[in-house]
Amino acid sequence: MAQGIQEDVMLNTALIKELADVAKDEALLQGVLMRIKETPNSSELATYAPFTLFPTPVPKAVFLQALAVQTHYNTLVDKISQDPDFLQESLASTVAVDDFTARLFRIHQQILKEGRSQTIVLGINRSDYMLDQREDGSSSLKQIEINTFAASFGGLSSHTPDVHRHILKIAGRLEESQRILDNNPAAGLARAVAKAWELYGSEKAVVMFLVEESQRNIFDQRYIESELWKRNIPTKRKRFDDVFKTGSLDHDKRLFVEGEEVAVVYFRNGYMPQNYTSEQDWDARLLMERSRAVKCPDISTHLAGTKKVQQVLARPGVLEKFFPDQPQVVEQIRATFAGLYTLDLGPEGDKTVALALAAPDRFVLKPQREGGGNNIYGSEICRVLEGAKTSTERTAYILMDKINPTASQNYLLRRDAPLIISNCLSELGAFGVYVRQGTDMVMNECVGHLLRTKSSEYSDGGVAAGVAVLDNPLLV
Ligand code: ADP
Ligand code: MG
């Protein structure tokens, strides 16, 4: 992106080294922390979470656009989650070939059959975007995906603004340092969780964070836990295994884990097939879904966040179905859609295959997965699609236009990594929260943002995967 840090600063190795040292200390002081990979389940040794030395310029108009559309995305996700026919039709071809999605879908069907035991819904979403930047200097905001499950970095990103402010001051850029925006998604996420807990209406019941086996990113979650404890809302961290071994439902389907009633299950684990290491983990997921606890997200909201649903939403007339009387909302959401193409069997899917094979560099091929590192690019797209040209295997994927942000230069600070200048691409996320009780939307807000930046050498991969790092927008 244009208007970054001047070249004389970027290429002054002595100054950069000095700034990087200060930046790491400031990150530690501000609590931008991660456990080290050698001991992910101990806080005896922690390091700074990876971040950029400098903030990245982001055009103000697109930044505001991302925040402004977020409450509509919340509404959309929520409406989809309440539309079993739409989910069934949209996901049919994926469920037929993708075991993981099929498994989730079976849980969804079982819950529908039994009837939902809780009318309170808690949604925490993060919609991610890149800027499609053209030669004429214009840029448009394009959604990469929406995360309805375990959207992370709301905690740490609440603490990165002060780090960049500090560094800009030391680099003699006081005016810019004052333009780094405050950001506090952790507070907003906690407010939504607290609201759901209150509505559940049992003072002793806990908010259960369902966490991974390996907990390197624990501090990101601890910020939310802290905010809840400040309100005297008890939190507990449990794994699938704890739920399997000690979880039960009473005659009212109240969920008890290790003897304590659970008001809210906040899933920070369970979005990848690898998160389920045994049938017992699946049994635990089902138990929680069947329970009266508020789930964040519940199974249908989980499915609403799939890439296949994202592709179906881009079809003509589909958004209109969800917002029949709100053409402006439809317009606002659709403006953020990149081209998305079905690979379902039939003439439309055949056309998609031909499109991709003719110009693979214009597209990204996405399987129905989350968590980074799964997408397919370039010649690999041809290999996969030629192999599955006319077979149902291809329906495990969707095809998407590749977004082309302009690269900017920065230094990515990461433990044990050399201090070198990198060509970087950024991805902007907007955090949204909502709470619904029956038909009443009692809260629907955009509560902050996240900027992640990675070297342009990598086409894929998040912060947890060691590719992207935390960043802040510098509005221009
Ligand atoms: P995941 O669920 O694995 O996070 P994403 O859809 O977010 O899946 O894709 C992972 C990464 O791949 C993104 O963070 C982005 O860097 C890159 N990516 C995804 N879609 C596109 C696209 N359409 N154009 C360019 N890069 C993309
Ligand atoms: Mg992503």
Side-chain angles (χ1 to χ4, degrees):
M1 284 178 215
Q3 302 181 52
I5 302 295
Q6 288 149 340
E7 214 166 67
D8 58 330
V9 174
M10 291 302 274
L11 299 177
N12 182 338
T13 4
L15 177 62
I16 292 294
K17 167 85 177 64
E18 192 187 319
L19 290 175
D21 286 344
V22 176
K24 291 173 191 176
D25 289 343
E26 188 63 19
L28 294 172
L29 286 177
Q30 297 298 338
V32 182
L33 300 172
M34 220 174 231
R35 286 175 173 171
I36 61 170
K37 62 175 180 298
E38 293 83 349
T39 50
N41 289 328
S42 156
S43 289
E44 293 304 314
L45 286 174
T47 184
Y48 54 92
F51 65 105
T52 56
L53 181 56
F54 299 111
T56 296
V58 172
K60 188 173 177 181
V62 288
F63 177 80
L64 295 177
Q65 187 190 352
L67 299 196
V69 73
Q70 187 55 41
T71 53
H72 300 319
Y73 267 118
N74 288 345
T75 307
L76 178 61
V77 164
D78 187 48
K79 282 175 188 263
I80 296 168
S81 77
Q82 295 172 80
D83 191 333
D85 293 341
F86 177 77
L87 281 173
Q88 168 134 26
E89 277 166 39
S90 303
L91 291 170
S93 63
T94 315
V95 164
V97 292
D98 186 274
D99 291 343
F100 183 62
T101 312
R103 193 105 210 222
L104 295 173
F105 196 75
R106 282 211 299 280
I107 294 179
H108 167 70
Q109 280 177 308
Q110 178 165 348
I111 300 303
L112 284 178
K113 211 167 88 200
E114 278 185 30
R116 293 178 218 242
S117 46
Q118 178 54 267
T119 61
I120 304 163
V121 170
L122 165 64
I124 295 182
N125 299 322
R126 200 190 67 220
S127 180
D128 290 335
Y129 306 90
M130 279 179 153
L131 295 191
D132 213 17
Q133 290 174 308
R134 307 203 193 92
E135 283 179 1
D136 63 6
S138 67
S139 45
S140 65
L141 185 76
K142 293 296 169 199
Q143 187 184 53
I144 296 296
E145 63 159 347
I146 188 158
N147 301 284
T148 63
F149 198 113
S152 56
F153 296 110
L156 296 185
S157 63
S158 302
H159 296 262
T160 53
D162 277 334
V163 180
H164 277 152
R165 286 182 187 126
H166 189 68
I167 285 309
L168 288 174
K169 280 186 200 167
I170 295 176
R173 326 244 335 165
L174 184 62
E175 187 276 326
E176 280 165 4
S177 88
Q178 289 162 341
R179 278 198 282 134
I180 302 285
L181 302 167
D182 280 334
N183 192 27
N184 199 348
L189 303 192
R191 222 159 4 96
V193 177
K195 186 79 203 163
W197 178 86
E198 255 170 59
L199 292 173
Y200 182 88
S202 168
E203 253 181 33
K204 280 201 214 111
V206 303
V207 173
M208 181 172 79
F209 285 54
L210 198 284
V211 299
E212 323 91 296
E213 287 300 319
S214 169
Q215 300 183 42
R216 251 192 105 187
N217 198 23
I218 190 167
F219 300 109
D220 186 50
Q221 302 165 8
R222 288 287 197 210
Y223 281 119
I224 303 164
E225 290 179 61
S226 281
E227 293 281 341
L228 292 168
W229 277 105
K230 280 183 207 159
R231 295 170 163 86
N232 302 318
I233 298 175
T235 71
K236 282 281 154 77
R237 302 174 63 81
K238 298 287 171 212
R239 299 174 177 166
F240 277 124
D241 195 47
D242 303 317
V243 176
F244 176 77
K245 289 199 174 117
T246 73
S248 62
L249 304 186
D250 74 2
H251 55 279
D252 280 332
K253 291 200 184 167
R254 291 179 185 275
L255 175 64
F256 288 81
V257 175
E258 289 175 9
E260 284 182 303
E261 184 176 355
V262 177
V264 178
V265 181
Y266 177 24
F267 285 100
R268 295 291 298 240
N269 184 36
Y271 53 92
M272 299 197 270
Q274 310 88 284
N275 296 154
Y276 299 83
T277 54
S278 64
E279 281 306 303
Q280 302 183 349
D281 291 355
W282 282 108
D283 290 348
R285 174 79 191 261
L286 180 62
L287 184 82
M288 291 183 273
E289 292 297 339
R290 292 183 59 232
S291 80
R292 180 186 278 253
V294 180
K295 276 79 61 182
C296 179
D298 60 19
I299 187 73
S300 50
T301 308
H302 184 177
L303 291 171
T306 50
K307 292 178 171 74
K308 182 64 191 177
V309 165
Q310 181 187 9
Q311 178 257 303
V312 173
L313 288 172
R315 298 174 69 94
V318 176
L319 282 179
E320 281 81 354
K321 179 176 124 47
F322 289 106
F323 298 96
D325 309 316
Q326 292 171 286
Q328 321 85 312
V329 172
V330 168
E331 184 48 42
Q332 222 177 320
I333 294 177
R334 188 169 283 143
T336 65
F337 284 175
L340 288 148
Y341 312 89
T342 180
L343 281 160
D344 286 359
L345 293 186
E348 210 187 329
D350 292 345
K351 235 171 88 185
T352 303
V353 173
L355 199 67
L357 292 179
D361 290 332
R362 281 185 42 213
F363 300 101
V364 182
L365 185 64
K366 295 190 173 188
Q368 190 46 65
R369 285 287 170 274
E370 303 293 330
N374 301 300
N375 296 340
I376 295 168
Y377 299 86
S379 55
E380 190 66 7
I381 295 184
C382 301
R383 202 187 55 75
V384 171
L385 287 184
E386 267 156 8
K389 221 173 194 170
T390 54
S391 85
T392 50
E393 271 166 65
R394 78 182 196 196
T395 68
Y397 300 90
I398 61 158
L399 190 76
M400 182 175 187
D401 281 347
K402 189 153 137 199
I403 310 306
N404 289 303
T406 311
S408 64
Q409 301 215 305
N410 212 326
Y411 289 86
L412 307 182
L413 306 182
R414 188 184 281 128
R415 178 185 172 222
D416 293 339
L419 188 60
I420 46 170
I421 196 161
S422 303
N423 244 350
C424 298
L425 305 178
S426 299
E427 187 169 339
L428 174 70
F431 284 100
V433 297
Y434 61 92
V435 178
R436 176 167 55 78
Q437 185 173 35
T439 53
D440 235 11
M441 217 22 146
V442 292
M443 181 174 183
N444 181 6
E445 293 176 26
C446 175
V447 295
H449 58 270
L450 170 73
L451 193 72
R452 288 172 301 165
T453 292
K454 65 180 169 59
S455 158
S456 58
E457 290 165 57
Y458 296 100
S459 42
D460 201 329
V463 179
V467 173
V469 307
L470 303 172
D471 195 353
N472 278 290
L474 181 68
L475 299 190
V476 291

